[in-house]
Amino acid sequence: MCGIVGYVGTRRVVPILLEGLRRLEYRGYDSAGLVYQHEGKLVRYRAEGKLINLENTVDENIGVASSTGIGHTRWATHGAPTEMNAHPHTDCTGELVVVHNGIIENYNTLKKDLLARGHVFSSETDTEVLAHLIEEHLDDDLEEAVRKALTLVEGSYALGVLWAKEPEMIVAARNHSPLVMGVGEDACYIASDVPALLPYTKDVIFLDDKEMTVLRKGEYTITTVDDTTPLNKPVTTIEWNAAMAEKAGYRHFMLKEIFEQPQAILNTVSGRIVPDTGMIELPEIGLDDIAIKSIERIALVACGTSWHAALIAKYWIEKWVGIPVEVDIASEFRYRSLLINDKVLTISISQSGETADTLAGIRRAAQMGSKILTICNVVGSTMTREADGVIYTHAGPEIGVASTKAFTSQLAALFLLTLYLGQVRGTMDSEQRIVYGAALIDLAKTIEELLPRLQEEIAALIESFYDSRDFLFVARGMNFPIALEGALKLKEISYIHAEGYAAGELKHGPIALIDKDMPVMGLVPQDEVYQKSVSNLEEIKARQGRLVLIGTAGDEHLSNLTEHVLYLPKVIDDLNPILYTIPAQLLSYEIANRRGCDVDQPRNLAKSVTVE
Ligand code: M6R
């Protein structure tokens, strides 16, 4: 996600901002900008693309001695990755600037009010609303104006604000987006993450949600958005080196991204479910109600992990909406005989939005008259530009080649889409949408609580399995695609041969593989196919297969089948695929790590497959 750096002190600010932004590059970004104070004015530079473009734009001769400023790298969420949408954003006067990381959920309502009051906007971003909202409340006290504005804002933010009339001051605040302060001699800093601060100070203060800070040369006060009483927060001395700090102390990006999943799911559903009414809001879907009601069939097209998300969506959409869904691997879809017309909605699912086969697939479907919807994590990517509508997953940049948080965010988006289609076509009533919408939000919390315990248990368990040559994953019903996903994850990062099967398929061939050396991970929640799954597990046990079972807390029957059982909390059946993904990811991660593999960049693989 976006990166923020701010400095107020005695040194030249521009090199500090550029170096800080460089150290936040790992977070992913598509444009960058900075602003500094110079003779009572703010000097702002912005550029599309890489930091080098920004560096080439900045004229350091202006304000060479400036020592207060803020910088930003933007990962687009609202509006394309253009210079116009790059931060910092200004108010109407150009005397106040804001950099922001997060999503302002009620920005549409706020923007309408501000436009009505005469504010003029120059970008498509949600962030610009903050600049105008602060301007609206600004008299002569910037801190107070920021505080008032933030009480009106719903959503997540880490932000830094500069005002031309306060040349040696930065106001910053956070809520559900990371922000850390650095404390140095005669200087204060803010940053999205510790690596940006490490060349200058190791003394930091981690801000918590709804906290605000006012920074001046070497002095600061911390309060909250709701209360002006100063807080006394501890200063932490950072022992990490730069490489550790980029991964927030995690050993690999993949592990960090596994742990980011609760937030990624929340970001994806945020602002899209009205809890009291169960209304699902997907304004960017690009299809009106008449078009949605006339859909006769849905074609889901994707590759790899994204294809597994599509397989699960088929279960959800056919069950709740009653539209027939076909799922294709994009490299097959693009060449086979297709029965596509204007009554078919084609949906591509892609983390990157650039996968060559998926792109070719939707181009072909569009030529045959189909409307195209894309579920994508990268704003402004080719797929999002070519589609008629988009549902963004707001997972943030995924750096590990193995897809983790992008996958569970795709599932969250597809579940939202199911509820939305059910709402428009009248196949789900508001009561059901309230219950299922709330369950999706609760799931994020459940996963957050579960992750540390599960990682510990799996790290211990893999000692018996990490040197296996083969691995099977089995499940039934809507969890079957998670067996495929578990097998893909394991093979791509640990190089162990692994296969996923629908448990009922075993006796049609694969059961011949079972012997005392074959580990089999069974995903067996207590759902409507539970008894059938247990029968299949009995068959594996009878042939001495080495079972590792993931099931519902309290299911003692599983521990009669094997000593290796991991228990997960009970959630509604439809959300089990998201929950049961987590142990499959952790098992693959721990095994690959134990085998000394290059977890984040496995051999022969690329993050984005842009060639056929
Ligand atoms: O960017 P996409 O979602 O279109 O990528 C599709 C696949 O290449 C991708 O999911 C791949 O299978 C993952 N690396 C698996 O972890």
Side-chain angles (χ1 to χ4, degrees):
M1 283 274 178
C2 308
I4 291 176
V5 185
Y7 173 79
V8 47
T10 51
R11 297 170 60 183
R12 284 176 56 208
V13 71
V14 172
I16 293 174
L17 297 180
L18 288 172
E19 177 60 21
L21 293 178
R22 203 167 296 118
R23 286 166 175 264
L24 296 179
E25 276 191 303
Y26 73 90
R27 297 169 68 83
Y29 67 102
D30 36 47
S31 60
L34 61 82
V35 66
Y36 54 81
Q37 295 274 5
H38 174 59
E39 294 176 352
K41 287 203 166 56
L42 296 174
V43 183
R44 175 174 68 151
Y45 296 94
R46 299 182 296 170
E48 236 180 272
K50 290 291 156 197
L51 265 182
I52 185 75
N53 300 344
L54 178 67
E55 280 172 79
N56 290 340
T57 331
V58 174
D59 181 351
E60 281 208 54
N61 296 322
I62 306 174
V64 68
S66 172
S67 54
T68 308
I70 44 182
H72 188 267
T73 44
R74 173 174 187 252
W75 163 265
T77 60
H78 295 65
T82 56
E83 185 186 331
M84 174 188 82
N85 288 328
H87 300 210
H89 287 289
T90 74
D91 67 345
C92 296
T93 66
E95 293 194 334
L96 180 129
V97 291
V98 176
V99 294
H100 164 231
N101 172 20
I103 295 174
I104 306 301
E105 288 169 15
N106 58 339
Y107 88 100
N108 259 327
T109 321
L110 294 170
K111 189 168 178 175
K112 266 188 217 143
D113 290 350
L114 289 161
L115 283 168
R117 297 178 71 82
H119 288 262
V120 178
F121 282 75
S122 58
S123 79
E124 303 158 310
T125 63
D126 53 337
T127 300
E128 195 184 347
V129 163
L130 288 171
H132 293 278
L133 199 59
I134 297 168
E135 177 189 14
E136 188 66 23
H137 294 280
L138 187 55
D139 191 359
D140 59 356
D141 185 344
L142 179 62
E143 180 184 359
E144 199 42 37
V146 173
R147 180 173 277 112
K148 282 186 181 149
L150 291 181
T151 57
L152 302 171
V153 161
E154 288 163 21
S156 56
Y157 53 77
L159 56 93
V161 187
L162 226 61
W163 188 28
K165 295 192 175 145
E166 287 279 9
E168 293 183 349
M169 179 171 123
I170 297 173
V171 178
R174 77 153 266 175
N175 190 37
H176 300 306
S177 289
L179 196 65
V180 58
M181 280 173 54
V183 185
E185 229 174 83
D186 295 333
C188 284
Y189 307 77
I190 49 164
S192 294
D193 204 353
V194 169
L197 305 178
L198 288 181
Y200 313 108
T201 179
K202 293 198 180 306
D203 292 334
V204 305
I205 299 173
F206 292 99
L207 294 177
D208 289 310
D209 285 347
K210 294 270 178 142
E211 286 181 352
M212 288 182 60
T213 177
V214 176
L215 310 176
R216 293 193 169 82
K217 280 184 192 170
E219 59 179 79
Y220 60 87
T221 52
I222 301 173
T223 56
T224 69
V225 171
D226 307 312
D227 187 349
T228 55
T229 315
L231 300 173
N232 196 1
K233 295 201 44 122
V235 175
T236 306
T237 302
I238 295 290
E239 308 292 352
W240 301 338
N241 61 33
M244 283 165 79
E246 275 189 359
K247 296 173 193 142
Y250 290 99
R251 196 193 297 248
H252 295 101
F253 281 113
M254 180 180 174
L255 187 61
K256 174 170 177 268
E257 287 158 5
I258 288 173
F259 274 76
E260 282 171 350
Q261 289 180 108
Q263 192 59 50
I265 293 170
L266 279 183
N267 286 347
T268 300
V269 299
S270 147
R272 289 169 165 169
I273 302 176
V274 182
D276 302 339
T277 62
M279 283 300 284
I280 307 299
E281 294 178 353
L282 295 173
E284 67 281 46
I285 196 166
L287 296 165
D288 61 22
D289 288 3
I290 297 173
I292 289 178
K293 284 180 184 157
S294 68
I295 297 169
E296 290 178 359
R297 189 156 41 93
I298 291 178
L300 295 175
V301 186
C303 299
T305 288
S306 299
W307 176 66
H308 297 151
L311 292 172
I312 294 161
K314 175 181 166 70
Y315 285 88
W316 286 335
I317 296 171
E318 290 188 342
K319 173 177 169 187
W320 289 108
V321 194
I323 305 178
V325 178
E326 61 190 45
V327 180
D328 270 78
I329 292 174
S331 54
E332 295 298 313
F333 184 84
R334 64 183 290 190
Y335 293 120
R336 76 173 173 88
S337 298
L338 290 180
L339 298 175
I340 297 279
N341 55 41
D342 61 353
K343 299 281 183 225
V344 179
L345 172 66
T346 303
I347 306 178
S348 66
I349 306 171
S350 175
Q351 187 284 130
S352 61
E354 304 292 350
T355 302
D357 285 322
T358 312
L359 202 49
I362 59 169
R363 283 176 179 159
R364 188 163 173 227
Q367 274 169 0
M368 296 173 85
S370 177
K371 286 271 182 222
I372 310 294
L373 172 64
T374 192
I375 296 184
C376 189
N377 196 40
V378 180
V379 174
S381 56
T382 311
M383 252 176 250
T384 66
R385 293 199 306 274
E386 296 196 8
D388 298 292
V390 183
I391 303 176
Y392 283 112
T393 49
H394 294 300
E398 193 177 64
I399 293 163
V401 164
S403 189
T404 53
K405 63 176 180 170
F407 176 64
T408 44
S409 301
Q410 286 169 347
L411 291 178
L414 286 161
F415 195 69
L416 276 181
L417 175 65
T418 305
L419 301 186
Y420 185 73
L421 295 175
Q423 167 179 303
V424 175
R425 291 175 67 113
T427 56
M428 289 187 91
D429 61 29
S430 58
E431 202 50 47
Q432 286 170 316
R433 284 182 273 113
I434 290 172
V435 169
Y436 281 83
L440 184 55
I441 293 168
D442 288 349
L443 181 68
K445 184 94 196 122
T446 304
I447 294 174
E448 185 169 25
E449 286 166 6
L450 177 69
L451 271 163
R453 162 181 71 85
L454 204 55
Q455 191 199 359
E456 235 173 74
E457 290 180 10
I458 289 177
L461 176 124
I462 58 102
E463 281 306 314
S464 317
F465 296 97
Y466 77 91
D467 56 356
S468 305
R469 219 189 49 177
D470 307 282
F471 225 105
L472 296 184
F473 290 74
V474 297
R476 274 181 174 258
M478 55 180 72
N479 295 301
F480 156 52
I482 302 306
L484 298 178
E485 173 61 6
L488 174 63
K489 225 60 327 158
L490 186 63
K491 67 185 128 190
E492 72 179 320
I493 60 170
S494 74
Y495 319 137
I496 293 176
H497 167 246
E499 302 294 340
Y501 285 104
E505 263 298 285
L506 284 182
K507 57 169 76 71
H508 298 284
I511 203 163
L513 293 169
I514 307 289
D515 64 11
K516 64 177 179 25
D517 297 321
M518 178 61 86
V520 183
M521 183 181 223
L523 309 171
V524 269
Q526 285 177 326
D527 57 9
E528 55 189 13
V529 286
Y530 170 74
Q531 285 305 341
K532 302 283 172 200
S533 302
V534 168
S535 305
N536 299 133
L537 298 174
E538 300 277 8
E539 290 157 8
I540 297 167
K541 184 178 156 102
R543 286 156 184 84
Q544 297 180 348
R546 302 170 67 203
L547 285 170
V548 181
L549 299 180
I550 320 285
T552 309
D555 181 356
E556 283 169 17
H557 186 67
L558 299 185
S559 40
N560 296 330
L561 290 170
T562 174
E563 61 187 298
H564 305 297
V565 188
L566 299 167
Y567 287 111
L568 304 185
K570 174 101 185 129
V571 299
I572 63 167
D573 287 358
D574 288 82
L575 295 181
N576 275 329
I578 304 181
L579 182 65
Y580 281 68
T581 298
I582 311 296
Q585 292 170 340
L586 283 170
L587 180 96
S588 307
Y589 171 78
E590 290 297 343
I591 288 181
N593 186 39
R594 181 70 176 78
R595 288 164 73 98
C597 298
D598 186 348
V599 173
D600 284 332
Q601 287 183 329
R603 69 186 180 204
N604 307 339
L605 293 177
K607 182 68 186 158
S608 183
V609 184
T610 53
V611 290
E612 190 174 358

